[in-house]
Amino acid sequence: MKAIVVESTGGIDALKFSIDHPIPSIPKGHVLIHNEYSGLNFIDTYHRSGLYPRQLPFVLGQEGGGTICAFSEEDQQSQSDIQLNDRVVYGAFGSYAEYTAVPIDKLVPIPDDLDTPTAVACMTQGLTAHYLASSVGAGISKPGNWLLIYGVGSGTAQWTAQMAKLRGYRVIGTTSRCKADLIDSASTGGDVATALGCDKLIVLENVPGKSYADYNSVDIAAEVMKITDGSGCSLVIDGVGKSTYEISLKCVSKRGLFVSFGNASGAVPAFPVLKLLEKSAYVTRPKLNDYVVTREELLERANEVFSWVKEGELKIRVDKVFSLEDAKLGHEYLEDGKGRGKILFK
């Protein structure tokens, strides 16, 4: 089968396209998925680079969608809620391939009135945005409070801003100037902030020659304090990492929560816990798997995201679809900060 294999970690040249990789066996409790689409996420670059170690060699990817083409011999369609040829999406390793063996409890049925690319786009980024907007700040932040979300012009943050608004929060977003200029805001009377799901938008200059933002081009903390009348944000959702964590600590309110969920600019370095003392602040470094621990929780989150999409309350954008053999181009596009929505492989 066709697959993208990482034999040794590194840059984009670590991605090896194979046309004769073995089709995976199907362990008990799994099904074989014939993939139609695979999703590209920043975590794939962390696995490729070795930042998040995995046993070598491995097929990259952890998100895909397609049809069930086989059950294990032990299961033989013993699961009443799934059948052969059902369309499903999933979050499991090995999705950059024609076929993936997926645990049954990781499968999410695709509604009949939702297309497969959209459903795949709803998985890793959609579910991450759901727990960030709905669960991670429980007991600390509440509807009506101000939230700060970096990078709302694309990716997970684009979803998180919209979901936070659906939950009743007031949202401050940041984005690069080039992405702000590209937003089609005709339906919102030219209001780019509204088009991105925000109440207030801080537009940052681009790093020269790049598509991503220069987080030192604007005093973000000063802008946040001005917007919030000096109180700061009860929740700061930061997927950028190394370039922004110190800004995040300045923007968080007293007894607020700094959520570091990504490393787009590099991993956040260790810092003294005494940095939290001034505001009695909290910090967390969450991951999706801990917010979809059971199949019930997975389906609850996925179905709410699907319903928002179908009802037009949540707007998603499939930005680019690359062929699997062009995985290097996809990774380059993502890491150069060019993405304005979901990136898929077909």
Side-chain angles (χ1 to χ4, degrees), residues 112-128:
D112 292 338
D113 52 353
L114 200 65
D115 62 79
T116 302
T118 299
V120 174
C122 288
M123 285 302 289
T124 300
Q125 289 181 333
L127 296 181
T128 297

Side-chain angles (χ1 to χ4, degrees), residues 253-266:
S253 66
K254 289 188 183 299
R255 293 164 57 181
L257 176 63
F258 164 38
V259 182
S260 176
F261 79 96
N263 316 291
S265 67

Side-chain angles (χ1 to χ4, degrees), residues 221 225 230-231 246-256 271-282:
M225 290 302 169
S231 64
E246 290 188 305
I247 301 170
S248 295
L249 291 171
K250 293 177 183 177
C251 291
V252 73
S253 66
K254 289 188 183 299
R255 293 164 57 181
F271 62 86
V273 72
L274 281 174
K275 278 184 174 284
L276 304 175
L277 177 63
E278 180 184 354
K279 300 179 179 180
S280 298
Y282 302 90

Side-chain angles (χ1 to χ4, degrees), residues 4-293:
I4 297 295
V5 182
V6 175
E7 297 174 346
S8 60
T9 55
I12 59 172
D13 288 336
L15 302 175
K16 305 298 182 184
F17 178 64
S18 172
I19 61 172
D20 57 1
H21 195 76
I23 294 175
S25 58
I26 315 173
K28 182 179 180 181
H30 290 60
V31 296
L32 189 68
I33 304 299
H34 185 195
N35 291 314
E36 185 179 356
Y37 292 91
S38 301
L40 170 58
N41 299 286
F42 257 109
I43 195 170
D44 300 342
T45 70
Y46 308 155
H47 290 148
R48 184 205 72 210
S49 69
L51 177 64
Y52 292 178
R54 289 179 58 186
Q55 185 174 349
L56 296 166
F58 60 86
V59 175
L60 194 57
Q62 61 171 42
E63 168 190 62
T67 55
I68 299 173
C69 60
F71 285 74
S72 70
E73 289 185 5
E74 295 89 345
D75 292 297
Q76 290 298 318
Q77 287 192 224
S78 62
Q79 301 289 325
S80 60
D81 61 333
I82 56 171
Q83 304 291 328
L84 279 176
N85 300 316
D86 279 357
R87 292 189 310 135
V88 294
V89 286
Y90 64 87
F93 287 145
S95 65
Y96 284 22
E98 286 185 90
Y99 297 93
T100 306
V102 179
I104 290 171
D105 62 3
K106 297 293 186 183
L107 299 175
V108 176
I110 301 175
D112 292 338
D113 52 353
L114 200 65
D115 62 79
T116 302
T118 299
V120 174
C122 288
M123 285 302 289
T124 300
Q125 289 181 333
L127 296 181
T128 297
H130 190 279
Y131 85 72
L132 289 172
S134 306
S135 303
V136 75
I140 298 174
S141 185
K142 60 184 179 181
N145 288 168
W146 281 106
L147 271 60
L148 172 63
I149 305 173
Y150 296 94
V152 296
S154 62
T156 301
Q158 194 174 66
W159 295 70
T160 308
Q162 295 180 70
M163 292 186 198
K165 285 297 294 178
L166 288 170
R167 293 296 192 214
Y169 289 96
R170 293 184 289 173
V171 178
I172 303 170
T174 77
T175 192
S176 64
R177 183 166 300 281
C178 74
K179 289 183 179 178
D181 290 345
L182 288 170
I183 296 300
D184 179 9
S185 56
S187 62
T188 57
D191 185 350
V192 179
T194 301
L196 290 172
C198 301
D199 295 278
K200 299 290 183 179
L201 184 66
I202 300 172
V203 178
L204 309 171
E205 299 303 324
N206 288 80
V207 172
K210 299 293 184 181
S211 298
Y212 47 81
D214 178 356
Y215 288 95
N216 294 312
S217 65
V218 173
D219 188 339
I220 296 172
E223 290 295 314
V224 165
M225 290 302 169
K226 181 179 178 181
I227 292 167
T228 63
D229 294 325
S231 64
C233 295
S234 65
L235 203 59
V236 176
I237 298 176
D238 185 343
V240 179
K242 185 177 180 180
S243 296
T244 51
Y245 80 98
E246 290 188 305
I247 301 170
S248 295
L249 291 171
K250 293 177 183 177
C251 291
V252 73
S253 66
K254 289 188 183 299
R255 293 164 57 181
L257 176 63
F258 164 38
V259 182
S260 176
F261 79 96
N263 316 291
S265 67
V268 174
F271 62 86
V273 72
L274 281 174
K275 278 184 174 284
L276 304 175
L277 177 63
E278 180 184 354
K279 300 179 179 180
S280 298
Y282 302 90
V283 63
T284 184
R285 190 11 176 133
K287 63 181 187 295
L288 175 59
N289 283 348
D290 289 333
Y291 287 85
V292 287
V293 175

